[in-house]
């Protein structure tokens, strides 16, 4: 496979050009105009940020992407799927409230916000995974699969399970319905918290296999009958049902790569990463720690694997911010710092390379890239 081209520009600006103009020029140079957008529904997949977190991407970036798609004849919409964990983005109403609170609205971005897996996170499409070893049929938010074109707009940052969050996590984990997220996170089946359950029976009514039953006024899930579809998690009005987050991290990363392949397979896609506010953890947290490296730049590519690899390399080449969690970890264990990279030193249990290696193996892209640096300021 030939080297993938990854286009990059730093965060420097001048009186002649600002960051939003640099993003637009970068997209043009990276070839976004090669895609036929004419009257095509275009999903711009991004993370709206859990309220309380301030590291998520500013909505101004999303507007630049939406305006570019519209200028090329497309019909853009911003999208994400509901979260598996209990927070402010677990159903479409709260999710849209959170998006608007963080500045993502039609008034600020120029396009609509659609929560791809519906009101309760159960509106999903079952999508075959070519070459899938861990997932044969991914559960993807239906609106994402109804789109003609996928653009991922990722905040490149650390992540406590994946090592980092980039394009593959944005479109793999991020496009999974609640049941799809459960499949990636868990190798088990959901269980009921008896302290939260009121025995309303919503889970029993949605289950096609008779797994939830009422016992002593509380629901209990029979794992012999349960197929692990996760629909009960979405319909429980009291957040009493949850999965076991017990997938081995390598398996978690490989499933995420297979979900990403399911999302982009057979249709045009384009990927953008903004390497700024590189916080240690996911934007799903309702807080964010200080960045562990300085702001680096903006990158774009047709190949999400190459993009993630290039961004990871750029972060690993960057100096460490004093007082950050990375700085603290290295001071505590300087020998470990010589062996591993920034992401591993931030979250030592992680190994981000397993996701990229598996993505390359199943044909999603290549880690072999050419970094084309554009001096746009």
């Amino acid at each position: 496979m030939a080297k993938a081209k990854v286009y990059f520009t730093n965060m420097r600006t001048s009186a002649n050009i600002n960051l939003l103009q640099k993003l637009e020029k970068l997209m043009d140079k990276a070839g976004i105009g090669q895609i036929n957008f004419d009257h095509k529904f275009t999903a711009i997949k991004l993370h709206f940020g859990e309220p309380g977190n301030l590291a998520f991407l500013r909505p101004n970036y999303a507007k630049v992407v939406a305006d570019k798609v519209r200028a090329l004849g497309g019909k853009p919409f911003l999208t994400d799927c509901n979260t598996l964990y209990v927070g402010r983005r677990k159903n479409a109403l709260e999710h849209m409230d959170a998006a608007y609170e963080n500045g993502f609205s039609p008034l600020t971005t120029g396009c609509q916000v659609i929560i791809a897996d519906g009101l309760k996170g159960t509106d999903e499409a079952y999508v075959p995974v070519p070459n899938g070893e861990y997932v044969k049929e991914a559960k993807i938010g239906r609106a994402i699969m109804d789109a003609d074109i996928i653009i991922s707009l990722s905040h490149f940052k650390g992540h406590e399970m994946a090592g980092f969050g980039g394009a593959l996590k944005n479109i793999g984990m991020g496009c999974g319905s609640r049941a799809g997220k459960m499949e990636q996170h868990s190798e088990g089946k959901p269980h009921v918290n008896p302290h939260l359950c009121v025995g309303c029976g919503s889970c029993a009514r949605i289950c096609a296999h008779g797994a939830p039953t009422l016992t002593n006024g509380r629901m209990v899930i029979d794992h012999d009958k349960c197929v692990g579809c996760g629909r009960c998690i979405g319909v429980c009005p009291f957040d009493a049902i949850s999965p076991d987050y017990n997938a081995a991290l390598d398996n978690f990363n490989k499933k995420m790569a297979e979900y990403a392949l399911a999302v982009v397979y057979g249709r045009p896609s384009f990927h953008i990463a903004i390497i700024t506010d590189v916080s240690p953890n996911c934007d799903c947290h309702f807080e964010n720690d200080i960045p562990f490296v300085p702001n680096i730049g903006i990158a774009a590519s047709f190949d999400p694997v190459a993009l993630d690899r290039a961004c990871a390399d750029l972060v690993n080449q960057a100096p460490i911010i004093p007082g950050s969690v990375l700085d603290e970890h290295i001071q505590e264990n300087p020998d470990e710092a010589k062996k591993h990279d920034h992401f591993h030193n931030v979250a030592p249990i992680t190994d981000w390379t397993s996701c990229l290696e598996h993505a390359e193996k199943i044909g999603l892209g290549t880690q072999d890239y050419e970094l084309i640096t554009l001096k746009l300021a």
Side-chain angles (χ1 to χ4, degrees), residues 169 172 216 241 352:
K169 187 173 187 303
N216 298 325
I241 305 176
W352 54 271

Side-chain angles (χ1 to χ4, degrees), residues 12-18 376-377:
R12 295 295 305 277
T13 62
S14 71
N16 299 317
I17 191 168
N18 62 34
L376 300 176

Side-chain angles (χ1 to χ4, degrees), residues 44-373:
I44 302 173
K45 170 64 183 73
L46 74 165
H47 196 303
F48 297 123
E50 189 72 16
N53 185 301
L54 297 176
F56 62 88
L57 293 181
R58 294 174 184 265
N60 311 64
Y61 292 118
K63 185 177 190 305
V64 172
V65 179
D67 287 349
K68 173 58 65 175
V69 169
R70 189 175 287 107
L72 292 170
K75 299 179 178 180
F77 63 95
L78 306 183
T79 193
D80 198 1
C81 287
N82 291 303
T83 59
L84 182 58
Y85 68 88
V86 176
R88 294 231 358 234
R89 297 180 302 118
K90 68 180 184 296
N91 63 62
L93 297 184
E94 293 179 72
H95 203 156
M96 291 182 72
D97 285 344
Y100 289 173
E101 184 177 318
N102 284 342
F104 297 93
S105 75
L107 294 178
T108 55
T109 65
C111 67
Q112 295 294 333
V113 173
I114 297 176
I115 306 305
D117 59 343
L119 182 62
K120 298 179 179 180
T122 57
D123 187 14
E124 59 203 3
Y126 293 86
V127 184
V129 181
N131 304 320
E133 296 179 18
Y134 296 82
V135 180
K136 299 303 180 185
E137 198 173 54
K139 305 173 183 72
I140 307 296
R142 188 172 300 279
I144 286 170
M145 295 313 301
D146 283 344
D148 302 301
I149 299 165
I150 298 294
I151 296 179
S152 66
L153 176 60
S154 305
H155 172 213
F156 197 86
K157 59 201 171 294
H159 192 275
E160 59 275 22
M161 292 183 68
F164 65 70
L168 294 187
K169 187 173 187 303
N170 187 21
I171 55 177
M173 182 62 68
C175 290
S177 65
R178 295 191 85 186
K181 289 179 171 65
M182 185 187 78
E183 181 173 34
Q184 294 174 75
H185 273 291
S186 178
E187 291 167 347
K189 296 177 180 179
H191 64 274
V192 179
N193 183 337
H195 302 293
L196 296 177
C197 177
V198 300
C200 70
S202 296
C203 54
R205 289 190 290 273
I206 198 68
C207 182
H209 306 280
T213 56
L214 190 64
T215 304
N216 298 325
R218 300 289 184 268
M219 303 307 295
V220 175
I221 296 175
D222 184 344
H223 285 180
D224 289 335
K225 295 180 179 179
C226 174
V227 297
C229 73
R231 296 183 71 82
C232 56
I233 296 172
V235 301
C236 179
F238 301 99
D239 300 316
I241 305 176
S242 59
D244 291 316
Y245 290 90
N246 62 354
L249 290 186
D250 273 2
N251 290 355
F252 165 83
N253 273 334
K254 291 172 182 178
K255 289 178 183 179
M256 195 162 62
E258 293 186 3
Y259 260 72
L261 178 59
V263 170
V264 302
Y265 187 78
R267 55 182 170 168
S269 66
F270 187 79
H271 310 278
I272 305 161
I274 301 182
I275 317 168
T276 182
D277 295 319
V278 184
S279 51
N281 296 320
C282 182
D283 291 342
C284 290
H285 284 238
F286 69 88
E287 86 295 331
N288 59 281
D289 200 0
I290 66 169
F292 55 87
V293 294
N295 292 346
I296 293 173
I298 307 171
S301 179
F302 284 101
D303 187 323
V305 181
L307 180 64
D308 273 0
R309 181 76 217 200
C311 290
D313 290 345
L314 288 165
V315 169
N316 281 326
Q317 293 161 13
I320 298 167
I321 291 180
S324 67
V325 65
L326 176 57
D327 183 43
E328 291 176 356
H329 286 182
I330 287 176
Q331 289 188 41
E332 292 166 2
N333 195 346
D335 289 336
E336 192 70 9
K338 299 173 185 175
K339 304 175 185 176
H340 297 290
D341 54 54
H342 289 350
F343 303 106
H344 181 89
N345 281 311
V346 166
I349 65 169
T350 65
D351 178 13
W352 54 271
T353 61
S354 61
C355 182
L356 298 187
E357 288 168 358
H358 192 67
E360 194 170 39
K361 178 182 177 182
I362 61 177
L364 179 53
T366 177
Q367 295 187 70
D368 193 12
Y369 67 90
E370 176 189 1
L371 188 68
I372 302 171
T373 301

